[in-house]
């Protein structure tokens, strides 16, 4: 596949996102879409966004929990890129208009204070992460039906990333029992999902280790000052107008958004 092909496919997905219109999975017309090409399409899509003034603020890991891999019927972790325009302020309002079929999921996020590259240990990842936060990701697939796509499809579509929200509480990850934090997501006060943080990669910090390996395979590193979403602990949840969605993570407080009526 040429760079020209990557650009064309990135443009198609970018336009679908801007128009909030779903399109067939890329593998329908390109059954042999290799994963490295899918990441190249993702990178072209991010270039289109930065050319319009968006700023890259971090990365998201996806499919780091068994629950998510089962829900999406895909078998290995992937990453996507986060920009400043994707962040909803804590306690902010999210409007469903302009999105295709958004879903929300409970996550843990980290902020890095130095660059990480290549194969790193859990200790090195902990050392480089100045804080951990409670986070929710709002996914939106640009593909018809959301559910039935292959790994290269989801990667090309920036791993379904759409929006995210971070708790205002930030704590050094070493102060927490990171792999044993109870997480509970509630909609209008009723619990809809719950899990222990170990559902995320066995320990959410290991998502950072894995991310560095995936980046390294493409000759890239994780810059200092990045936000990293570690991946969802449970399946994602559909939102209705007027919903108040809140995630509480023991030790990290809670984070909420309201869906506009
Ligand atoms: C892929 C992205 C998965 C996560 O946290 O596991 C993800 C998808 O579900 O469409 O963001
Ligand atoms: Mg996610």
């Amino acid at each position: 596949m040429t760079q020209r092909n990557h650009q064309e496919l990135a443009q198609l997905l970018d336009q679908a996102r801007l128009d909030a219109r779903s399109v067939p999975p890329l593998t329908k017309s390109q059954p042999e879409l290799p994963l490295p090409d899918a990441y190249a399409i993702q990178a072209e899509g991010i270039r289109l966004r930065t050319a319009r003034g968006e700023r890259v603020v971090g990365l998201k890991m996806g499919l780091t929990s068994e629950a998510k891999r089962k829900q999406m019927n895909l078998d290995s972790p992937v990453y996507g890129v986060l920009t400043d325009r994707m962040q909803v302020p804590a306690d902010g309002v999210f409007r469903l208009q302009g999105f295709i079929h958004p879903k929300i999921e409970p996550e843990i996020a980290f902020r890095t204070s130095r660059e990480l590259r290549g194969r790193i240990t859990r200790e090195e990842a902990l050392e480089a992460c100045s804080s951990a936060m409670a986070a929710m990701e709002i996914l939106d697939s640009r593909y018809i039906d959301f559910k039935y796509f292959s790994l290269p499809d989801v990667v090309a579509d920036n791993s379904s990333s759409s929006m995210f929200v971070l708790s205002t509480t930030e704590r050094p990850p070493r102060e927490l029992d990171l792999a044993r934090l109870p997480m509970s997501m509630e909609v209008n006060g009723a619990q809809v999902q719950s899990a222990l943080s170990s559902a995320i990669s066995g320990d959410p910090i290991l998502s950072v280790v894995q991310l560095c390996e995936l980046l390294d395979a493409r000759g890239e590193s994780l810059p200092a000052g990045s936000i990293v979403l570690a991946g969802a602990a449970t399946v994602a949840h559909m939102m209705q107008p007027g919903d108040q969605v809140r995630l509480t993570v023991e030790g990290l407080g809670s984070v909420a958004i309201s869906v506009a009526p």
Side-chain angles (χ1 to χ4, degrees):
M1 222 181 225
T2 63
Q3 202 192 346
R4 183 71 196 271
N5 296 138
H6 297 153
Q7 283 166 345
E8 281 169 6
L9 294 170
Q11 257 151 17
L12 183 140
L13 289 171
D14 187 61
Q15 202 57 51
R17 182 178 61 80
L18 294 172
D19 297 344
R21 174 181 47 82
S22 58
V23 296
L26 301 187
T27 51
K28 253 218 141 98
S29 52
Q30 316 266 345
E32 298 298 320
L33 179 62
L35 201 54
D37 287 283
Y39 275 109
I41 296 165
Q42 180 190 112
E44 285 298 335
I46 296 302
R47 254 190 284 285
L48 291 172
R49 297 181 71 147
T50 53
R52 288 193 293 260
E54 293 183 51
R55 191 167 51 84
V56 172
V57 295
L59 291 135
K60 62 156 279 183
M61 281 296 279
L63 307 177
T64 51
S65 70
E66 194 53 41
K68 285 289 306 187
R69 287 191 291 266
K70 270 221 185 88
Q71 182 189 29
M72 305 315 289
N73 198 24
L74 295 172
D75 61 5
S76 55
V78 292
Y79 70 85
V81 179
L82 304 173
T83 75
D84 57 346
R85 263 332 134 73
M86 298 182 189
Q87 187 164 5
V88 184
D91 296 315
V93 175
F94 172 75
R95 276 168 222 292
L96 294 165
Q97 291 84 358
F99 297 86
I100 303 167
H101 29 213
K103 299 192 276 192
I104 192 160
E105 52 187 23
E107 307 216 4
I108 284 177
F110 298 101
R111 202 183 286 286
T112 64
S113 56
R114 61 175 180 81
E115 190 193 25
L116 285 169
R117 182 184 289 277
R119 283 190 173 270
I120 57 164
T121 62
R122 179 178 186 278
E123 277 309 299
E124 285 168 319
L126 276 175
E127 198 56 49
C129 288
S130 48
S131 63
M133 294 158 277
M136 292 189 286
E137 182 177 26
I138 297 172
L139 294 174
D140 200 14
S141 172
R142 271 51 69 169
Y143 299 125
I144 296 163
D145 288 346
F146 211 130
K147 207 169 173 181
Y148 307 101
F149 46 76
S150 67
L151 213 53
D153 283 319
V154 69
V155 164
D157 187 28
N158 200 22
S159 296
S160 308
S161 78
S162 180
M163 304 293 278
F164 66 97
V165 56
L166 302 175
S167 62
T168 50
T169 302
E170 300 197 18
R171 286 188 61 192
R174 283 193 198 283
E175 288 181 6
L176 302 160
D177 191 0
L178 252 192
R180 266 187 292 273
L181 305 175
M183 302 172 68
S184 167
M185 193 166 80
E186 293 177 357
V187 176
N188 303 326
Q191 187 176 73
V192 291
Q193 296 293 340
S194 67
L196 274 186
S197 55
S198 56
I200 307 167
S201 298
D203 175 342
I205 196 74
L206 295 179
S207 292
V208 177
V209 173
Q210 259 181 318
L211 173 60
C212 289
E213 281 173 28
L214 289 175
L215 287 170
D216 194 47
R218 305 198 64 236
E220 289 173 16
S221 65
L222 177 61
S226 295
I227 294 162
V228 178
L229 292 183
T234 73
V235 297
H237 192 85
M238 295 299 287
M239 290 173 285
Q240 303 300 328
D243 279 351
Q244 209 229 21
V245 188
R246 176 177 298 279
L247 170 68
T248 305
V249 180
E250 201 169 286
L252 290 172
S254 76
V255 57
I257 60 153
S258 304
V259 184

